[in-house]
Amino acid sequence: MKINLTITNSANVNQIDDDATGYYLISKRWTMINDSNITFVRIKGLGYCYNVHWAGPSNKLEAARVGEKSKTTLMVSHALLKSFFVESNGDVLLPNTPEIRNLIGFDRSALQLAN
């Protein structure tokens, strides 16, 4: 049996399609350039958080349904982000670094500065 594997460029968020591990919604509006962590949309769109466990992952349909209501969210695969998660005081967070912002498609000039 021959198996063909699709090789994708991991820097292109739209090419990562992983229904098995799920998706997160990331807020472009509430992630500030000087925050320590990326801001997620909570499960079912119930606010915002830094803790990945509060953000999902959700299946692709649920994430798309919640995300379609806002032009300031990005749907990103867990498979793309999992190697960047860090644990701090029992929370699992995604650091707000230039590398990660570039990976998920944030334009630095579009992010606001927190007070």
Side-chain angles (χ1 to χ4, degrees), residues 21-73:
T21 58
Y23 297 84
Y24 298 97
L25 291 176
I26 295 176
S27 174
K28 294 190 292 187
R29 180 176 182 198
W30 294 110
T31 297
M32 305 297 168
I33 194 68
N34 58 336
D35 281 345
S36 298
N37 301 296
I38 298 292
T39 304
F40 290 92
V41 177
R42 290 182 66 162
I43 294 173
K44 297 185 182 179
L46 301 174
Y48 302 92
C49 63
Y50 295 120
N51 188 345
V52 172
H53 293 304
W54 297 354
S58 299
N59 66 47
K60 188 174 187 175
L61 292 174
E62 176 68 17
R65 185 187 64 75
V66 172
E68 75 184 0
K69 297 175 186 175
S70 174
K71 294 180 181 179
T72 60
T73 60

Side-chain angles (χ1 to χ4, degrees), residues 2-23:
K2 184 177 179 181
I3 299 176
N4 292 322
L5 299 176
T6 303
I7 299 173
T8 63
N9 176 359
S10 64
N12 187 343
V13 175
N14 296 323
Q15 288 182 354
I16 301 296
D17 190 18
D18 191 356
D19 290 331
T21 58
Y23 297 84

